[in-house]
Amino acid sequence: MANWYRFLGILKADLRERTRTVRFWLMLGLMSWVLLRCFPGLDEGYMTLTLNGSDRGYYSSAWVGMVLAMVNTMLLSLGGFYLVRGTLTRDFETRVWQLLVSTTMTRSMYLLSKWISHLVIMSVVVTIGLLIALVAQWWRAEDRQIDLIELIKPSLVMSLPGLAITAMFAIWFDLVPWLRKTAGNVLFFFVWTFLTAISVAQFANGKDAQAVNNWRSDPNGMAVAARDFYRLERLQTGDTRDFSLSIGSPKPKGPVHRFEWKHWHVRPMDLLGRSLWILVAIGGVLLAVPFLDRAAAKAGVGQRQQAGSGARLWWLKPVFGLLALVPGTQLLQAELKLALRSRRWWWWVGFVALLSVQAFAPAEGAHVALLIALVWPLDLLAHAMLRETSTHTGGLVLTASRAIERLIGARWLAGTLILVALCAPSLLRLGVQAPISALALLVVLASLPALALAMAMLSRSARPFELLLVASVYIATQGAALFQVETQPWECLETHGLLGALAVSVLALGRLHWARAAIGR
């Protein structure tokens, strides 16, 4: 019983700490707004969950529950990681861990309480989504018969195992020292992409006879849903025509076909398959127990290394010499030195490699190198606005005359100059071949640092910008127009011009509040 009380005590304290932050409620509000948009009417230009390009169920309790579960498997399994991670790191860095380890608390109990805390936080988002789905069902009035079991069932069967795996990853990424910051946030995006690709591959094979009767599933449960959608289609049509499922798609040009989906029959073997993923997550958390003490001992080592004198940057002396000739650039020089002196040797090797590829590779390779160059200084951009908070120097730095405006301006200019240096070969080439494309690239390079500062100011975290930029660049590699400055310069100019203006407005309006928070008032 005493162990149970200690377990509940850790869980309760963790939940209180999370829910007291403004960032938590901002993220909750953003996710609620996204979920509210998941139940469009027939006259809107998009559909959330579509079968065969034009089919969807009437908005019954079972169908809105299924829509919510499918959206959660795609979005909350990704966004939830960035929402919940960091609690172990915080305990290590604030030395709460040293207090806890001196009690009779076991290490397995500590990690399991953190894992359950992660799940509870993500379950709060799911619960709010269920309430929104219920309101949407009543508002759309396609089927107003309320069935709470059918509403909740998809979230329990499909979403819960996937979120359990996400919570396990959040534990491991906090334990491994080099995954605690930006590198871990970037790596998890690709882990999530890999897991989603497995889900899509299994769901694509959902119409095979062997897959139809298979009880195994992917972590996100998409294969289970695909099998049952396919069973319904065969039952209603009597044939085995091609089957497709889309999450988020434009409204078809023809009419939307709606069908009845009042009940989702889940086989016992499917429940067993889904439960296995929860057991895998618990096992993964318990596997981390032997590494807990070593991970706690490593806490703060990286920060202490960064707090050293750093590199002398002798190769940049001519650049700083030129900057010194320009009056009023002392703060900009300081920001550049502070940002670049902590860079390790491999960062500079990558810097030179990106310049070389942009200069000498064919156009396609140069474009890929340009996209990587945008992400290369990701931690510099994402953490620039948080330096006073993490180093507790706000009271010293921000008390000078007009320090707030000068500091924000210098950090934006420092970020822009670093990006310009990284993309210099592309800028020069486009400047000669297509000046409008060079202008578009310059606007992109100026808007990204402003966006990083604004998002860190709003969320007081580097994770939203890290996730946004990595996801945007990944989408761009798939052909999206967001960074296609060579082929679609006007679209890039418009998009990044608006984003930059929005970021500047946020910085102007929120600078005083940010300064008070950084000082600790």
PDB file of all heavy atoms in Angstrom, residues 18-46:
ATOM      1  N   ARG A  18       2.668  19.891 -14.887  1.00  0.00           N
ATOM      2  CA  ARG A  18       2.406  20.073 -16.324  1.00  0.00           C
ATOM      3  C   ARG A  18       1.242  21.021 -16.565  1.00  0.00           C
ATOM      4  O   ARG A  18       1.302  21.904 -17.416  1.00  0.00           O
ATOM      5  CB  ARG A  18       2.066  18.729 -16.970  1.00  0.00           C
ATOM      6  CG  ARG A  18       3.187  17.733 -17.044  1.00  0.00           C
ATOM      7  CD  ARG A  18       2.587  16.401 -17.440  1.00  0.00           C
ATOM      8  NE  ARG A  18       3.505  15.302 -17.333  1.00  0.00           N
ATOM      9  CZ  ARG A  18       4.157  14.767 -18.354  1.00  0.00           C
ATOM     10  NH1 ARG A  18       4.004  15.293 -19.538  1.00  0.00           N
ATOM     11  NH2 ARG A  18       4.947  13.746 -18.178  1.00  0.00           N
ATOM     12  N   THR A  19       0.147  20.806 -15.830  1.00  0.00           N
ATOM     13  CA  THR A  19      -1.076  21.553 -16.124  1.00  0.00           C
ATOM     14  C   THR A  19      -1.021  22.987 -15.617  1.00  0.00           C
ATOM     15  O   THR A  19      -1.911  23.769 -15.916  1.00  0.00           O
ATOM     16  CB  THR A  19      -2.293  20.841 -15.507  1.00  0.00           C
ATOM     17  OG1 THR A  19      -2.044  20.602 -14.110  1.00  0.00           O
ATOM     18  CG2 THR A  19      -2.544  19.521 -16.193  1.00  0.00           C
ATOM     19  N   ARG A  20       0.008  23.357 -14.874  1.00  0.00           N
ATOM     20  CA  ARG A  20       0.125  24.739 -14.397  1.00  0.00           C
ATOM     21  C   ARG A  20       0.750  25.653 -15.442  1.00  0.00           C
ATOM     22  O   ARG A  20       0.707  26.867 -15.303  1.00  0.00           O
ATOM     23  CB  ARG A  20       0.984  24.789 -13.131  1.00  0.00           C
ATOM     24  CG  ARG A  20       0.233  24.350 -11.885  1.00  0.00           C
ATOM     25  CD  ARG A  20       1.169  24.244 -10.708  1.00  0.00           C
ATOM     26  NE  ARG A  20       0.468  23.857  -9.500  1.00  0.00           N
ATOM     27  CZ  ARG A  20       1.069  23.450  -8.397  1.00  0.00           C
ATOM     28  NH1 ARG A  20       2.383  23.384  -8.360  1.00  0.00           N
ATOM     29  NH2 ARG A  20       0.372  23.113  -7.335  1.00  0.00           N
ATOM     30  N   THR A  21       1.340  25.094 -16.486  1.00  0.00           N
ATOM     31  CA  THR A  21       2.047  25.931 -17.454  1.00  0.00           C
ATOM     32  C   THR A  21       1.091  26.467 -18.525  1.00  0.00           C
ATOM     33  O   THR A  21       0.130  25.791 -18.914  1.00  0.00           O
ATOM     34  CB  THR A  21       3.155  25.127 -18.153  1.00  0.00           C
ATOM     35  OG1 THR A  21       2.556  24.029 -18.853  1.00  0.00           O
ATOM     36  CG2 THR A  21       4.146  24.570 -17.145  1.00  0.00           C
ATOM     37  N   VAL A  22       1.372  27.683 -18.970  1.00  0.00           N
ATOM     38  CA  VAL A  22       0.582  28.285 -20.058  1.00  0.00           C
ATOM     39  C   VAL A  22       0.751  27.477 -21.339  1.00  0.00           C
ATOM     40  O   VAL A  22      -0.183  27.313 -22.128  1.00  0.00           O
ATOM     41  CB  VAL A  22       1.031  29.745 -20.270  1.00  0.00           C
ATOM     42  CG1 VAL A  22       0.298  30.372 -21.449  1.00  0.00           C
ATOM     43  CG2 VAL A  22       0.801  30.553 -19.004  1.00  0.00           C
ATOM     44  N   ARG A  23       1.979  26.942 -21.534  1.00  0.00           N
ATOM     45  CA  ARG A  23       2.259  26.179 -22.754  1.00  0.00           C
ATOM     46  C   ARG A  23       1.311  24.997 -22.900  1.00  0.00           C
ATOM     47  O   ARG A  23       0.826  24.716 -24.000  1.00  0.00           O
ATOM     48  CB  ARG A  23       3.703  25.688 -22.708  1.00  0.00           C
ATOM     49  CG  ARG A  23       4.135  24.904 -23.917  1.00  0.00           C
ATOM     50  CD  ARG A  23       5.576  24.503 -23.786  1.00  0.00           C
ATOM     51  NE  ARG A  23       5.793  23.620 -22.665  1.00  0.00           N
ATOM     52  CZ  ARG A  23       6.962  23.388 -22.102  1.00  0.00           C
ATOM     53  NH1 ARG A  23       8.023  24.026 -22.531  1.00  0.00           N
ATOM     54  NH2 ARG A  23       7.090  22.560 -21.110  1.00  0.00           N
ATOM     55  N   PHE A  24       1.017  24.316 -21.810  1.00  0.00           N
ATOM     56  CA  PHE A  24       0.122  23.159 -21.865  1.00  0.00           C
ATOM     57  C   PHE A  24      -1.259  23.561 -22.361  1.00  0.00           C
ATOM     58  O   PHE A  24      -1.834  22.929 -23.247  1.00  0.00           O
ATOM     59  CB  PHE A  24       0.018  22.522 -20.474  1.00  0.00           C
ATOM     60  CG  PHE A  24      -1.030  21.449 -20.381  1.00  0.00           C
ATOM     61  CD1 PHE A  24      -0.787  20.178 -20.858  1.00  0.00           C
ATOM     62  CD2 PHE A  24      -2.274  21.726 -19.823  1.00  0.00           C
ATOM     63  CE1 PHE A  24      -1.757  19.187 -20.782  1.00  0.00           C
ATOM     64  CE2 PHE A  24      -3.251  20.750 -19.739  1.00  0.00           C
ATOM     65  CZ  PHE A  24      -2.991  19.476 -20.224  1.00  0.00           C
ATOM     66  N   TRP A  25      -1.779  24.672 -21.828  1.00  0.00           N
ATOM     67  CA  TRP A  25      -3.136  25.080 -22.221  1.00  0.00           C
ATOM     68  C   TRP A  25      -3.161  25.634 -23.638  1.00  0.00           C
ATOM     69  O   TRP A  25      -4.165  25.503 -24.345  1.00  0.00           O
ATOM     70  CB  TRP A  25      -3.673  26.087 -21.209  1.00  0.00           C
ATOM     71  CG  TRP A  25      -3.866  25.450 -19.866  1.00  0.00           C
ATOM     72  CD1 TRP A  25      -3.084  25.601 -18.756  1.00  0.00           C
ATOM     73  CD2 TRP A  25      -4.871  24.491 -19.508  1.00  0.00           C
ATOM     74  NE1 TRP A  25      -3.531  24.815 -17.727  1.00  0.00           N
ATOM     75  CE2 TRP A  25      -4.633  24.128 -18.159  1.00  0.00           C
ATOM     76  CE3 TRP A  25      -5.944  23.915 -20.173  1.00  0.00           C
ATOM     77  CZ2 TRP A  25      -5.429  23.211 -17.479  1.00  0.00           C
ATOM     78  CZ3 TRP A  25      -6.734  22.997 -19.507  1.00  0.00           C
ATOM     79  CH2 TRP A  25      -6.476  22.660 -18.177  1.00  0.00           C
ATOM     80  N   LEU A  26      -2.056  26.266 -24.063  1.00  0.00           N
ATOM     81  CA  LEU A  26      -1.980  26.718 -25.458  1.00  0.00           C
ATOM     82  C   LEU A  26      -2.007  25.529 -26.416  1.00  0.00           C
ATOM     83  O   LEU A  26      -2.725  25.534 -27.423  1.00  0.00           O
ATOM     84  CB  LEU A  26      -0.704  27.533 -25.674  1.00  0.00           C
ATOM     85  CG  LEU A  26      -0.718  28.988 -25.199  1.00  0.00           C
ATOM     86  CD1 LEU A  26       0.664  29.612 -25.374  1.00  0.00           C
ATOM     87  CD2 LEU A  26      -1.758  29.796 -25.962  1.00  0.00           C
ATOM     88  N   MET A  27      -1.203  24.511 -26.098  1.00  0.00           N
ATOM     89  CA  MET A  27      -1.181  23.317 -26.938  1.00  0.00           C
ATOM     90  C   MET A  27      -2.536  22.629 -26.937  1.00  0.00           C
ATOM     91  O   MET A  27      -3.005  22.142 -27.969  1.00  0.00           O
ATOM     92  CB  MET A  27      -0.102  22.358 -26.442  1.00  0.00           C
ATOM     93  CG  MET A  27       1.317  22.826 -26.671  1.00  0.00           C
ATOM     94  SD  MET A  27       1.773  22.847 -28.413  1.00  0.00           S
ATOM     95  CE  MET A  27       1.851  21.098 -28.757  1.00  0.00           C
ATOM     96  N   LEU A  28      -3.176  22.590 -25.766  1.00  0.00           N
ATOM     97  CA  LEU A  28      -4.493  21.966 -25.676  1.00  0.00           C
ATOM     98  C   LEU A  28      -5.508  22.727 -26.529  1.00  0.00           C
ATOM     99  O   LEU A  28      -6.334  22.121 -27.230  1.00  0.00           O
ATOM    100  CB  LEU A  28      -4.935  21.943 -24.212  1.00  0.00           C
ATOM    101  CG  LEU A  28      -5.982  20.905 -23.826  1.00  0.00           C
ATOM    102  CD1 LEU A  28      -5.474  19.509 -24.106  1.00  0.00           C
ATOM    103  CD2 LEU A  28      -6.344  21.049 -22.351  1.00  0.00           C
ATOM    104  N   GLY A  29      -5.446  24.066 -26.468  1.00  0.00           N
ATOM    105  CA  GLY A  29      -6.356  24.867 -27.277  1.00  0.00           C
ATOM    106  C   GLY A  29      -6.118  24.671 -28.764  1.00  0.00           C
ATOM    107  O   GLY A  29      -7.067  24.559 -29.544  1.00  0.00           O
ATOM    108  N   LEU A  30      -4.840  24.588 -29.172  1.00  0.00           N
ATOM    109  CA  LEU A  30      -4.518  24.387 -30.587  1.00  0.00           C
ATOM    110  C   LEU A  30      -5.021  23.027 -31.073  1.00  0.00           C
ATOM    111  O   LEU A  30      -5.633  22.930 -32.148  1.00  0.00           O
ATOM    112  CB  LEU A  30      -3.007  24.497 -30.783  1.00  0.00           C
ATOM    113  CG  LEU A  30      -2.491  24.265 -32.194  1.00  0.00           C
ATOM    114  CD1 LEU A  30      -3.031  25.326 -33.137  1.00  0.00           C
ATOM    115  CD2 LEU A  30      -0.958  24.276 -32.227  1.00  0.00           C
ATOM    116  N   MET A  31      -4.782  21.992 -30.278  1.00  0.00           N
ATOM    117  CA  MET A  31      -5.232  20.660 -30.689  1.00  0.00           C
ATOM    118  C   MET A  31      -6.763  20.584 -30.718  1.00  0.00           C
ATOM    119  O   MET A  31      -7.346  19.918 -31.576  1.00  0.00           O
ATOM    120  CB  MET A  31      -4.671  19.605 -29.733  1.00  0.00           C
ATOM    121  CG  MET A  31      -3.169  19.399 -29.879  1.00  0.00           C
ATOM    122  SD  MET A  31      -2.551  18.047 -28.880  1.00  0.00           S
ATOM    123  CE  MET A  31      -0.829  18.026 -29.378  1.00  0.00           C
ATOM    124  N   SER A  32      -7.428  21.263 -29.784  1.00  0.00           N
ATOM    125  CA  SER A  32      -8.898  21.267 -29.780  1.00  0.00           C
ATOM    126  C   SER A  32      -9.431  21.937 -31.041  1.00  0.00           C
ATOM    127  O   SER A  32     -10.414  21.479 -31.634  1.00  0.00           O
ATOM    128  CB  SER A  32      -9.411  22.002 -28.539  1.00  0.00           C
ATOM    129  OG  SER A  32      -8.955  21.369 -27.377  1.00  0.00           O
ATOM    130  N   TRP A  33      -8.763  23.005 -31.461  1.00  0.00           N
ATOM    131  CA  TRP A  33      -9.197  23.693 -32.691  1.00  0.00           C
ATOM    132  C   TRP A  33      -9.026  22.769 -33.904  1.00  0.00           C
ATOM    133  O   TRP A  33      -9.899  22.711 -34.781  1.00  0.00           O
ATOM    134  CB  TRP A  33      -8.377  24.968 -32.878  1.00  0.00           C
ATOM    135  CG  TRP A  33      -8.752  25.734 -34.112  1.00  0.00           C
ATOM    136  CD1 TRP A  33      -9.805  26.581 -34.272  1.00  0.00           C
ATOM    137  CD2 TRP A  33      -8.090  25.663 -35.381  1.00  0.00           C
ATOM    138  NE1 TRP A  33      -9.842  27.063 -35.553  1.00  0.00           N
ATOM    139  CE2 TRP A  33      -8.801  26.520 -36.271  1.00  0.00           C
ATOM    140  CE3 TRP A  33      -6.976  24.983 -35.856  1.00  0.00           C
ATOM    141  CZ2 TRP A  33      -8.419  26.697 -37.581  1.00  0.00           C
ATOM    142  CZ3 TRP A  33      -6.602  25.167 -37.169  1.00  0.00           C
ATOM    143  CH2 TRP A  33      -7.314  26.015 -38.014  1.00  0.00           C
ATOM    144  N   VAL A  34      -7.897  22.037 -33.941  1.00  0.00           N
ATOM    145  CA  VAL A  34      -7.671  21.104 -35.048  1.00  0.00           C
ATOM    146  C   VAL A  34      -8.750  20.010 -35.048  1.00  0.00           C
ATOM    147  O   VAL A  34      -9.309  19.668 -36.101  1.00  0.00           O
ATOM    148  CB  VAL A  34      -6.269  20.469 -34.935  1.00  0.00           C
ATOM    149  CG1 VAL A  34      -6.103  19.344 -35.956  1.00  0.00           C
ATOM    150  CG2 VAL A  34      -5.191  21.526 -35.154  1.00  0.00           C
ATOM    151  N   LEU A  35      -9.066  19.483 -33.868  1.00  0.00           N
ATOM    152  CA  LEU A  35     -10.078  18.419 -33.787  1.00  0.00           C
ATOM    153  C   LEU A  35     -11.453  18.942 -34.189  1.00  0.00           C
ATOM    154  O   LEU A  35     -12.249  18.217 -34.795  1.00  0.00           O
ATOM    155  CB  LEU A  35     -10.124  17.850 -32.372  1.00  0.00           C
ATOM    156  CG  LEU A  35      -8.875  17.075 -31.939  1.00  0.00           C
ATOM    157  CD1 LEU A  35      -8.971  16.667 -30.481  1.00  0.00           C
ATOM    158  CD2 LEU A  35      -8.669  15.843 -32.808  1.00  0.00           C
ATOM    159  N   LEU A  36     -11.719  20.204 -33.865  1.00  0.00           N
ATOM    160  CA  LEU A  36     -13.016  20.787 -34.227  1.00  0.00           C
ATOM    161  C   LEU A  36     -13.202  20.851 -35.734  1.00  0.00           C
ATOM    162  O   LEU A  36     -14.322  20.790 -36.248  1.00  0.00           O
ATOM    163  CB  LEU A  36     -13.127  22.195 -33.624  1.00  0.00           C
ATOM    164  CG  LEU A  36     -14.494  22.890 -33.687  1.00  0.00           C
ATOM    165  CD1 LEU A  36     -15.534  22.086 -32.924  1.00  0.00           C
ATOM    166  CD2 LEU A  36     -14.401  24.299 -33.127  1.00  0.00           C
ATOM    167  N   ARG A  37     -12.098  20.947 -36.462  1.00  0.00           N
ATOM    168  CA  ARG A  37     -12.153  21.028 -37.924  1.00  0.00           C
ATOM    169  C   ARG A  37     -12.216  19.653 -38.589  1.00  0.00           C
ATOM    170  O   ARG A  37     -12.186  19.566 -39.810  1.00  0.00           O
ATOM    171  CB  ARG A  37     -10.919  21.769 -38.445  1.00  0.00           C
ATOM    172  CG  ARG A  37     -10.719  23.159 -37.860  1.00  0.00           C
ATOM    173  CD  ARG A  37     -11.686  24.157 -38.401  1.00  0.00           C
ATOM    174  NE  ARG A  37     -11.509  24.371 -39.827  1.00  0.00           N
ATOM    175  CZ  ARG A  37     -12.327  25.069 -40.591  1.00  0.00           C
ATOM    176  NH1 ARG A  37     -13.405  25.613 -40.051  1.00  0.00           N
ATOM    177  NH2 ARG A  37     -12.096  25.219 -41.875  1.00  0.00           N
ATOM    178  N   CYS A  38     -12.274  18.611 -37.786  1.00  0.00           N
ATOM    179  CA  CYS A  38     -12.229  17.242 -38.348  1.00  0.00           C
ATOM    180  C   CYS A  38     -13.589  16.713 -38.745  1.00  0.00           C
ATOM    181  O   CYS A  38     -13.682  15.559 -39.185  1.00  0.00           O
ATOM    182  CB  CYS A  38     -11.589  16.289 -37.330  1.00  0.00           C
ATOM    183  SG  CYS A  38      -9.829  16.565 -37.091  1.00  0.00           S
ATOM    184  N   PHE A  39     -14.649  17.497 -38.577  1.00  0.00           N
ATOM    185  CA  PHE A  39     -15.987  17.012 -38.901  1.00  0.00           C
ATOM    186  C   PHE A  39     -16.670  17.997 -39.847  1.00  0.00           C
ATOM    187  O   PHE A  39     -17.633  18.688 -39.482  1.00  0.00           O
ATOM    188  CB  PHE A  39     -16.806  16.820 -37.613  1.00  0.00           C
ATOM    189  CG  PHE A  39     -16.105  15.965 -36.598  1.00  0.00           C
ATOM    190  CD1 PHE A  39     -15.398  16.543 -35.543  1.00  0.00           C
ATOM    191  CD2 PHE A  39     -16.123  14.583 -36.715  1.00  0.00           C
ATOM    192  CE1 PHE A  39     -14.734  15.767 -34.624  1.00  0.00           C
ATOM    193  CE2 PHE A  39     -15.459  13.788 -35.793  1.00  0.00           C
ATOM    194  CZ  PHE A  39     -14.764  14.378 -34.743  1.00  0.00           C
ATOM    195  N   PRO A  40     -16.160  18.108 -41.089  1.00  0.00           N
ATOM    196  CA  PRO A  40     -16.709  19.101 -42.032  1.00  0.00           C
ATOM    197  C   PRO A  40     -18.098  18.694 -42.537  1.00  0.00           C
ATOM    198  O   PRO A  40     -18.434  17.505 -42.608  1.00  0.00           O
ATOM    199  CB  PRO A  40     -15.682  19.095 -43.167  1.00  0.00           C
ATOM    200  CG  PRO A  40     -15.112  17.710 -43.140  1.00  0.00           C
ATOM    201  CD  PRO A  40     -15.078  17.310 -41.687  1.00  0.00           C
ATOM    202  N   GLY A  41     -18.878  19.697 -42.915  1.00  0.00           N
ATOM    203  CA  GLY A  41     -20.169  19.442 -43.520  1.00  0.00           C
ATOM    204  C   GLY A  41     -20.019  19.124 -44.999  1.00  0.00           C
ATOM    205  O   GLY A  41     -18.919  19.181 -45.568  1.00  0.00           O
ATOM    206  N   LEU A  42     -21.132  18.820 -45.652  1.00  0.00           N
ATOM    207  CA  LEU A  42     -21.096  18.442 -47.075  1.00  0.00           C
ATOM    208  C   LEU A  42     -20.713  19.611 -47.972  1.00  0.00           C
ATOM    209  O   LEU A  42     -20.236  19.418 -49.084  1.00  0.00           O
ATOM    210  CB  LEU A  42     -22.468  17.899 -47.499  1.00  0.00           C
ATOM    211  CG  LEU A  42     -22.863  16.536 -46.909  1.00  0.00           C
ATOM    212  CD1 LEU A  42     -24.295  16.202 -47.276  1.00  0.00           C
ATOM    213  CD2 LEU A  42     -21.909  15.455 -47.391  1.00  0.00           C
ATOM    214  N   ASP A  43     -20.937  20.844 -47.488  1.00  0.00           N
ATOM    215  CA  ASP A  43     -20.649  22.009 -48.330  1.00  0.00           C
ATOM    216  C   ASP A  43     -19.215  22.518 -48.160  1.00  0.00           C
ATOM    217  O   ASP A  43     -18.835  23.494 -48.793  1.00  0.00           O
ATOM    218  CB  ASP A  43     -21.634  23.144 -47.998  1.00  0.00           C
ATOM    219  CG  ASP A  43     -21.611  23.486 -46.518  1.00  0.00           C
ATOM    220  OD1 ASP A  43     -21.120  22.651 -45.727  1.00  0.00           O
ATOM    221  OD2 ASP A  43     -22.090  24.578 -46.157  1.00  0.00           O
ATOM    222  N   GLU A  44     -18.431  21.889 -47.324  1.00  0.00           N
ATOM    223  CA  GLU A  44     -17.043  22.339 -47.145  1.00  0.00           C
ATOM    224  C   GLU A  44     -16.126  21.617 -48.119  1.00  0.00           C
ATOM    225  O   GLU A  44     -16.464  20.543 -48.637  1.00  0.00           O
ATOM    226  CB  GLU A  44     -16.612  22.115 -45.703  1.00  0.00           C
ATOM    227  CG  GLU A  44     -17.457  22.950 -44.721  1.00  0.00           C
ATOM    228  CD  GLU A  44     -16.946  22.887 -43.302  1.00  0.00           C
ATOM    229  OE1 GLU A  44     -15.781  23.231 -43.100  1.00  0.00           O
ATOM    230  OE2 GLU A  44     -17.723  22.499 -42.416  1.00  0.00           O
ATOM    231  N   GLY A  45     -14.966  22.196 -48.368  1.00  0.00           N
ATOM    232  CA  GLY A  45     -14.113  21.743 -49.466  1.00  0.00           C
ATOM    233  C   GLY A  45     -13.149  20.633 -49.138  1.00  0.00           C
ATOM    234  O   GLY A  45     -12.208  20.398 -49.903  1.00  0.00           O
ATOM    235  N   TYR A  46     -13.327  19.960 -48.010  1.00  0.00           N
ATOM    236  CA  TYR A  46     -12.415  18.878 -47.662  1.00  0.00           C
ATOM    237  C   TYR A  46     -13.168  17.799 -46.899  1.00  0.00           C
ATOM    238  O   TYR A  46     -14.290  18.016 -46.426  1.00  0.00           O
ATOM    239  CB  TYR A  46     -11.238  19.405 -46.819  1.00  0.00           C
ATOM    240  CG  TYR A  46     -11.654  19.912 -45.456  1.00  0.00           C
ATOM    241  CD1 TYR A  46     -11.528  19.112 -44.319  1.00  0.00           C
ATOM    242  CD2 TYR A  46     -12.198  21.184 -45.296  1.00  0.00           C
ATOM    243  CE1 TYR A  46     -11.914  19.567 -43.068  1.00  0.00           C
ATOM    244  CE2 TYR A  46     -12.584  21.641 -44.054  1.00  0.00           C
ATOM    245  CZ  TYR A  46     -12.445  20.830 -42.937  1.00  0.00           C
ATOM    246  OH  TYR A  46     -12.846  21.279 -41.712  1.00  0.00           O
TER     247      TYR A  46
END
